[in-house]
């Protein structure tokens, strides 16, 4: 009884401060009905802790209480960020705030601007819901000391998030996350956070125009621009910017998937607004069957990721992120790019082989563009989860719009030669071996399932997978000279396939993710089809054995 009384007291104290009428009404109703066991459990869950601020910022379901995304949590996060920036000597510095079209995004952006202004910093908000890459660009373009993007990227509709960048245009990494979290924890009450009603700058279209002018830099002057495209914005904010970028570049106007073209926080046509999820591309493929384009391009809702699909036996096939990553790398090499090529450890090793053949530096990093973007001398970086950084001097993060332009340029060049993206993938397989990749991804409702799977694999590492002996089992949590510690496991398998497996919890979703790669030697074109079949057979067998070893 004492515990229940304490819970109600804490909930009432939170309610008394809640600045949002919607979440306040929601919480009041929960308190009122808390005699019901299910309601009491829901209330207890919302007050079981505090949504933790980390290198991914904040991300969670919208709702009332400290374990949900809401204005109270965002105000505290903004106050902690402001205190951190001032402690770093940035008092009076500019903080740029962007936001997508999800529920509450604009409210969270305005709260952030108010807190920054009240703390003695200068704040500027992007003119309307815009892609995350525009915010990442604006930070450096405007000489800001930090940036905030309110987005949950491709998470489910009821989620929102809070992504923080520092003045170099890169997302935060440790120890900045822990220091910001420490400042957040020292925020006592919302009344202690000064939030003026005005005083920040509402940016105009200049910042978007500057970004669009920069997108031209990824293309070669005079290059072919004839590719025909079907495009889906996945109910997000990419459409207007993609159309403007394609028009500026001189490409034919992409044919839109009308049902998904406009921003809609309910994401009504997809179970999950992520091009990688089953069914998410069905409407795009239906439109492609109708208009017969050369390629299909999709962005995720905040347009920092880019998906590509190609014709395949009368239908359409989504390219894996690793395939697009290799295609863009080969295209950049062909264009004479100089500098370091980089990828995260979960991405295909093919990038390293392409860089080596071109005599270019190559680096592996931990998962996430917060690490890739910090590689010295970076020219190109990618991650298998559809993220590509093709213009690091403009946007030091993944950018689904400039990536789409570069894919369109490559497809246009190949089209003039009577070739396709698939033909270039075949060339890369012939030159470097067929790098077959796959993923075992398990979404959970209970995060303890992920912890149990990781614990099981650490307690009893597999000795073989798919009949291939595990020759190296590495716990990435220990760290190394090459990589900081991270919660992950990496296995290398014996045999000619150079098989590699990495297991890690997702940093942004309730998922356990396992990344698999095998490299099948290819000596002539006739080997390609059977090599693909064999590669998938080995990947499927690895998935089956790994799931058993992890208890998932």
């Amino acid at each position: 009884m004492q515990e229940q009384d304490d819970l109600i007291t804490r909930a009432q104290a939170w309610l008394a401060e809640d600045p949002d009428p919607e979440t306040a009404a929601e919480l009041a109703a929960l308190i009122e009905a808390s005699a019901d066991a299910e309601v009491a459990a829901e209330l207890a869950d919302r007050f079981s802790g505090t949504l933790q601020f980390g290198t991914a910022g904040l991300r969670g379901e919208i709702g009332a209480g400290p374990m949900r995304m809401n204005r109270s949590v965002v105000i505290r996060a903004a106050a902690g960020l402001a205190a951190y920036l001032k402690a770093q000597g940035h008092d009076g510095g500019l903080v740029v705030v962007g936001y997508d079209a999800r529920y509450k995004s604009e409210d969270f952006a305005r709260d952030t601007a108010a807190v920054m202004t009240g703390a003695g910093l200068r704040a500027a908000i992007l003119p309307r819901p815009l892609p995350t890459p525009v915010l990442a660009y604006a930070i450096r373009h405007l000489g800001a000391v930090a940036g905030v993007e309110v987005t949950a990227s491709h998470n489910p509709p009821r989620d929102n998030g809070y992504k923080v960048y520092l003045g170099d245009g890169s997302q935060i990494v440790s120890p900045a996350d822990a220091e910001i979290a420490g400042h957040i924890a020292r925020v006592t009450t919302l009344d202690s956070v000064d939030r003026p009603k005005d005083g920040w700058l509402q940016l105009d279209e200049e910042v978007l125009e500057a970004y669009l002018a920069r997108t031209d830099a990824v293309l070669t002057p005079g290059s072919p621009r004839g590719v025909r495209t079907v495009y889906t914005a996945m109910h997000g904010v990419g459409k207007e910017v993609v159309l403007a970028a394609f028009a500026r570049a001189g490409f034919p106007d992409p044919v839109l998937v009308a049902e998904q073209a406009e921003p809609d926080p309910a994401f009504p046509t997809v179970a999950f607004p992520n091009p990688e999820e089953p069914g998410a591309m069905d409407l795009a493929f239906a439109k492609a069957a109708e208009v017969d384009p050369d390629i299909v391009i999709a962005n995720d809702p905040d347009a920092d990721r880019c998906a590509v699909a190609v014709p395949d036996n009368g239908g359409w096939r989504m390219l894996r992120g690793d395939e697009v990553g290799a295609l863009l790398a080969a295209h950049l090499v062909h264009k004479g790019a100089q500098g370091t090529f980089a990828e995260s450890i979960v991405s295909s090793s093919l990038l390293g082989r392409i860089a080596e053949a071109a005599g270019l530096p190559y680096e592996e990093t931990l998962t996430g563009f917060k690490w890739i973007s910090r590689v010295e001398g970076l020219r190109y970086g990618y991650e298998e989860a559809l993220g590509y950084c093709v213009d690091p001097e403009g946007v030091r993060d993944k950018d689904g719009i400039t990536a789409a332009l570069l894919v369109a340029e490559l497809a246009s060049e190949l089209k003039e030669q009577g070739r396709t993206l698939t033909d270039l993938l075949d060339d890369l397989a012939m030159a470097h071996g067929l790098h077959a990749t796959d993923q075992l991804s398990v979404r959970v409702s209970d995060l303890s399932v992920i912890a149990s799977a990781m614990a099981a694999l650490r307690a009893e590492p597999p000795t073989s997978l798919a009949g291939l002996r595990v020759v190296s089992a590495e716990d990435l949590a220990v760290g190394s000279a090459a990589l900081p510690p991270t919660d992950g496991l990496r296995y290398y398998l014996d045999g000619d396939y150079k098989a590699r497996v990495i297991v890690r919890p997702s940093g942004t979703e309730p998922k356990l993710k396992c990344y698999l790669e095998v490299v099948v030697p290819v000596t002539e074109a006739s080997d390609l089809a059977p090599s693909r079949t064999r590669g998938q057979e080995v990947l499927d067998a690895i998935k089956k054995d790994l799931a058993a070893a992890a208890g998932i």
Side-chain angles (χ1 to χ4, degrees), residues 12-298:
Q12 288 172 334
W14 186 274
L15 175 61
E17 287 195 328
D18 195 331
D20 187 332
E22 288 186 25
T23 50
E26 178 186 300
L27 183 54
L30 289 171
I31 294 171
E32 179 70 23
S34 60
D36 179 273
E38 282 190 24
V39 176
E42 171 69 15
L43 194 61
D45 178 62
R46 291 172 182 238
F47 284 84
S48 60
T50 302
L51 205 59
Q52 290 301 298
F53 187 94
T55 54
L58 295 168
R59 198 172 288 192
E61 184 179 346
I62 295 170
M67 286 294 288
R68 299 289 187 269
M69 280 295 296
N70 51 65
R71 290 182 62 195
S72 297
V73 165
V74 165
I75 289 166
R76 285 176 164 83
L81 174 59
Y84 167 81
L85 292 172
K86 292 174 75 172
Q88 296 293 310
H90 296 309
D91 201 359
L94 176 66
V95 178
V96 188
V97 185
Y99 59 101
D100 66 10
R102 283 179 176 264
Y103 296 117
K104 304 288 184 183
S105 284
E106 186 171 1
D107 293 338
F108 296 165
R110 294 195 179 282
D111 281 332
T112 299
V115 171
M116 296 301 159
T117 303
L121 293 148
R122 293 178 296 125
I125 301 182
L126 293 185
R128 62 179 184 277
L130 286 168
T132 293
V134 178
L135 180 277
Y137 169 81
I139 294 166
R140 300 171 77 195
H141 175 65
L142 298 173
V145 299
V148 171
E149 177 70 14
V150 180
T151 181
S153 191
H154 55 271
N155 274 39
R158 286 300 302 172
D159 285 5
N160 212 328
Y162 199 80
K163 184 184 293 188
V164 176
Y165 298 77
L166 295 182
D168 64 353
S170 296
Q171 296 176 49
I172 57 168
V173 295
S174 183
D177 59 330
E179 293 175 17
I180 294 169
H183 285 290
I184 294 171
R186 287 191 280 276
V187 177
T188 52
T189 65
L190 291 195
D191 289 342
S192 69
V193 180
D194 187 14
R195 287 174 285 147
K197 297 194 181 301
D198 54 33
W200 55 87
L201 177 65
Q202 186 76 36
L203 293 167
D204 59 23
E205 297 298 306
E206 184 279 333
V207 68
L208 177 58
E209 282 301 312
Y211 168 80
L212 285 169
R214 180 75 201 187
T215 62
D216 298 343
V218 306
L219 303 175
T220 301
S223 63
R225 309 284 165 93
V227 73
R228 295 175 301 110
T229 305
V230 160
Y231 170 75
T232 175
M234 205 67 67
H235 298 296
V237 296
K239 182 196 78 172
E240 287 186 13
V241 182
V242 165
L243 290 181
F246 270 60
R248 289 176 66 101
F251 289 106
D253 291 340
V255 176
L256 299 177
V257 179
E259 302 94 327
Q260 299 175 333
E262 300 303 324
D264 187 337
F267 302 105
T269 68
V270 290
F272 291 97
N274 179 354
E276 292 180 297
E277 293 284 349
M281 295 291 288
D282 287 355
L283 288 171
F285 293 160
K287 178 57 71 173
E290 179 186 325
V291 302
D292 191 28
D294 300 303
I295 58 173
V296 174
I297 289 178

Side-chain angles (χ1 to χ4, degrees), residues 428-458:
L428 292 172
M430 293 284 291
H432 306 291
L434 177 68
H435 288 63
T437 60
D438 205 346
Q439 192 178 125
L440 171 63
S441 180
V442 181
R443 185 180 293 273
V444 302
S445 55
D446 179 1
L447 289 177
S448 68
V449 173
I450 294 176
S452 296
M454 295 297 291
L457 290 170
R458 285 189 166 104

Side-chain angles (χ1 to χ4, degrees), residues 304-306 321 369 380-389 398-399:
D304 64 350
R305 290 174 169 83
C306 176
F369 271 81
Y380 169 63
Y382 98 90
E383 191 156 71
E384 55 75 41
L386 309 182
Y388 315 96
C389 176
K398 55 187 176 292
D399 183 345

